[in-house]
Structures are given as C-alpha cells and as structure tokens.
Amino acid sequence: MFGNLGKKFADDIATQVQQKIGEHLSNKARENGSTEQATDSLGQVTGRRKALFIGINYFGQNGELRGCINDVHNIKHFLSKNYRIDEILVLTDDQTSNPGKMPTRQNILAAFRWLRNGAKSGDSLIFHYSGHGGSVKDTDGDEEDGMDETLIPVDYQQAGHIVDDEVHDVLVRGLPKGVRLTSIMDCCHSESILDLPYIYTVDGDLQIIETSKNEGIVTLVGAGTRFLLDGNKNKAIASMKEGMKSLMSSATSGGGGNSAAREKTIKTRSTEADVIQFSGCRDSQTSADAQIGGEATGAMSYALITSLKKNKNQNYTHLLKEMRQLLSGKYTQIPCMSAGRKLVLDDSFAI
C-alpha cells in the first residue's frame, strides 16, 4: 500500500509491538511457573575445534531443494572467517565423484562418529545441517507431541530416515563433560531433532510448560499491526494462520504437552557436555527454502549469518531473539534453541 519504505516502517513497528507483548507474556510465564531459570555455567573452549557441514539438495528427486548446498558454503565461509576451526568435513550431494562425501545415511552416521571421536573437555564441535527434515510416530514415549523428528539423507528411499533417537545416540550421548557441541539445524520439524530436554525462551528461561499460546498471541498481534499499517493482506493472513495454529496447539495439549514424555526426556537425554542447538522451526513447522538477495538459501541459515554479522559478540538468547525478529512477518517458522542441560546462555556466541 505504501511502497517499500512503508513496508519497512510497518515491519519495524510490528516487531516492536511483538517484542513488548512477548516481554509481558514472558514475565507472566515466570509468575505462573511455566518457565524456570537456567542454572549451569557454560564451559570455556580451550581445545581443538572440529566442524561437520551437511547440505542436501536432492537433485532429480521429488522435493528437490535449491539452497541447502549454498547454506553449507555460506555458513562454513562465515564461521571459518570469524572463528577458528581446526578440522572440517563437508558432505553435499554435488560431490558425486567422491562417494564418501555424499550425504547418504551411512556416511552421515559415520560423520557423526568422526565429529565426536576423541573429543575431550575444552574441545568444540560444530554441526550444521541443511536439508529435508521429517516426522514419524514416536514409539518409545519420549516425545511430547507423539512424533519423532527425522533427518532425511540423500538415499532415504533405499536406506530410510535417521530418527532423532538415533541422532542423539550416535552424536550426543556420552559426550564428555566440558565438550561443547553447537548444532545448527536448518530443516523442517527441527526443534527437537537432537532430542535435547531443555527448550529456551528468548529471555533465556527454560520452558516447563509449552508456550505455544503465548507465541500464537504474539504472532496474531504482529499480523494485525502489519496489516493495519501496510495493508499486506496475504502476509497478514499467513501470519494469522500461524498464530491460530499455535493457539490451537496449546488448546489441544491443555497448555502443558505430555509431562510424562518430558520427564522421560530429561531423565534419558540430559547431557554432561555443553550441547546447544539452534533449529529453524518448531517441531510442528516447516523451514523455508527461500530466495534472498538473488540466491537460494535456507531462511534460518540466512538469519543466523545476518544476525551474527550485525553483532558477532551477542549472547545466545539475544541471537535467538534477533533471528526470530528477522524472520517474523516474512516467514511463519519460529527459530528455536535447546540444550542438553540447564545452561545459562548469557555468554557471547562462540564455537
């Protein structure tokens, strides 16, 4: 209605309104006991740094993607330029002349073992995945929504998916105390793809009760504000649908999800290592394979790089907030952050 300048103004105002409403609801959540404060200190990285990057475009297959290999190159370039990385392994499905570097199910699991092999206190491990993610029915009762999340390798039609239970068992379980694993998951249904027990709010608190209701309210308020200011009906409708979906999710679960599943996850998936995951969306959502600045890219990978370029020294919870604000109103996905123990994440982001 008002051109690009008007749209930017509408986005800025809507973001500020959403932020204020979100802060108010977060304070209420603390008061009514639906969040708790983190207590564990994040260890220092003093040792070697290993990184694993996996990007799958699924060339010639149904559901072919465009931006996943670009994501790997962009994230690898940014991290290598701004942080020290000692060893790097890249699996992408354009490396057809090197079968060992193709992101097959077997190679991905082998790469997980390579990444963690020999890790000791003070070491840092980095894992970035951009590709398809899926969900299947949970069979062991550790998922609040009743669904396991999956990674989808390039040969999934022959070899099958990699279920989150296996991702946790091969990549995460048993990592020594003092090791830091930072995981960046740009795929659909990715909130709990590492099966970590502690989900964070943008204030650095830990969710005790699912906060879909609050996110739904914030999204609806932002959609209404944008529509009033710039008249973008399609964008407003998309955001309103996502807001209603969050509200309905909260209503269906009674606001608390499956507490028995949550308790099982805490008991069986808590870690001694400092395991931190950034994910592109909630378990019930999809992550966008987008076109930004003339390049195919995952919206979450783009948001992470863009946010860190603004301020490389921001802490983890502020980075999560920046990523959410950057995607808000443009995409329906909500980036998430989780950890293997109750880490206080007010240190500057580092790998």
Side-chain angles (χ1 to χ4, degrees):
M1 180 186 289
F2 302 115
N4 290 334
L5 189 60
K7 292 180 188 297
K8 185 180 185 305
F9 172 75
D11 276 341
D12 290 344
I13 295 298
T15 297
Q16 291 178 40
V17 170
Q18 285 181 269
Q19 185 174 349
K20 293 299 182 184
I21 294 292
E23 289 172 357
H24 173 74
L25 293 175
S26 293
N27 290 333
K28 288 293 183 181
R30 291 193 195 100
E31 291 174 10
N32 65 29
S34 61
T35 64
E36 65 176 330
Q37 290 191 315
T39 55
D40 298 343
S41 298
L42 186 64
Q44 297 299 308
V45 175
T46 57
R48 63 175 183 163
R49 295 159 170 84
K50 293 175 72 175
L52 169 63
F53 301 94
I54 300 177
I56 315 176
N57 279 0
Y58 308 91
F59 295 112
Q61 301 188 57
N62 290 334
E64 182 175 336
L65 300 173
R66 300 171 301 162
C68 299
I69 294 175
N70 289 340
D71 290 340
V72 161
H73 293 322
N74 292 337
I75 291 281
K76 181 169 72 73
H77 174 76
F78 177 82
L79 294 181
S80 299
K81 181 179 178 182
N82 290 280
Y83 306 91
R84 191 187 107 207
I85 302 179
D86 301 313
E87 297 179 69
I88 292 176
L89 175 61
V90 178
L91 304 184
T92 52
D93 59 339
D94 59 350
Q95 300 186 77
T96 53
S97 62
N98 190 344
K101 298 296 181 65
M102 289 288 286
T104 62
R105 189 181 199 281
Q106 179 179 341
N107 286 346
I108 289 173
L109 293 175
F112 288 170
R113 296 184 182 98
W114 169 86
L115 183 63
R116 63 172 293 161
N117 183 44
K120 59 184 184 297
S121 181
D123 289 348
S124 177
L125 315 176
I126 303 98
F127 171 41
H128 171 243
Y129 173 88
S130 182
H132 277 308
S135 60
V136 297
K137 187 173 178 59
D138 173 42
T139 59
D140 62 0
D142 66 343
E143 297 283 352
E144 291 190 80
D145 62 356
M147 302 295 289
D148 276 324
E149 284 62 52
T150 68
L151 299 180
I152 302 181
V154 69
D155 62 341
Y156 71 95
Q157 296 183 57
Q158 297 79 33
H161 295 200
I162 305 175
V163 179
D164 53 9
D165 297 350
E166 188 171 13
V167 175
H168 183 94
D169 288 345
V170 178
L171 179 60
V172 177
R173 188 181 299 281
L175 281 173
K177 184 176 181 179
V179 172
R180 182 182 302 184
L181 169 61
T182 305
S183 177
I184 302 163
M185 307 301 295
D186 196 349
C187 58
C188 300
H189 314 295
S190 52
E191 180 182 15
S192 64
I193 191 65
L194 260 61
D195 263 355
L196 302 178
Y198 298 106
I199 309 294
Y200 286 75
T201 71
V202 290
D203 302 296
D205 291 336
L206 305 171
Q207 289 182 186
I208 298 175
I209 297 173
E210 177 62 57
T211 56
S212 293
K213 180 178 179 181
N214 289 354
E215 290 180 354
I217 293 170
V218 170
T219 303
L220 287 170
V221 169
T225 303
R226 285 187 179 86
F227 180 67
L228 286 173
L229 290 173
D230 78 354
N232 190 327
K233 182 178 177 181
N234 291 334
K235 185 183 289 186
I237 289 174
S239 294
M240 290 175 72
K241 284 182 178 178
E242 189 60 34
M244 289 303 298
K245 185 177 179 180
S246 294
L247 286 175
M248 291 302 293
S249 171
S250 176
T252 301
S253 67
N258 183 336
S259 58
R262 174 177 168 75
E263 288 302 316
K264 180 173 182 179
T265 300
I266 291 174
K267 184 177 181 179
T268 63
R269 303 290 199 272
S270 293
T271 65
E272 290 192 346
D274 296 342
V275 183
I276 305 163
Q277 173 188 285
F278 287 97
S279 56
C281 62
R282 299 189 68 88
D283 282 343
S284 61
Q285 295 179 317
T286 58
S287 289
D289 187 40
Q291 189 79 17
I292 303 174
E295 180 182 56
T297 182
M300 184 267 189
S301 295
Y302 167 82
L304 179 74
I305 292 173
T306 302
S307 299
L308 285 172
K309 280 182 177 178
K310 289 181 181 178
N311 179 8
K312 197 181 81 166
N313 297 314
Q314 61 189 306
N315 66 35
Y316 287 82
T317 51
H318 191 269
L319 176 58
L320 175 65
K321 185 181 295 185
E322 283 291 312
M323 291 168 61
R324 286 189 175 187
Q325 290 178 355
L326 189 63
L327 298 185
S328 179
K330 304 177 183 71
Y331 305 93
T332 57
Q333 67 193 77
I334 300 171
C336 299
M337 183 171 69
S338 57
R341 60 194 190 98
K342 298 180 181 181
L343 291 170
V344 179
L345 293 177
D346 55 6
D347 294 58
S348 295
F349 175 85
I351 59 170

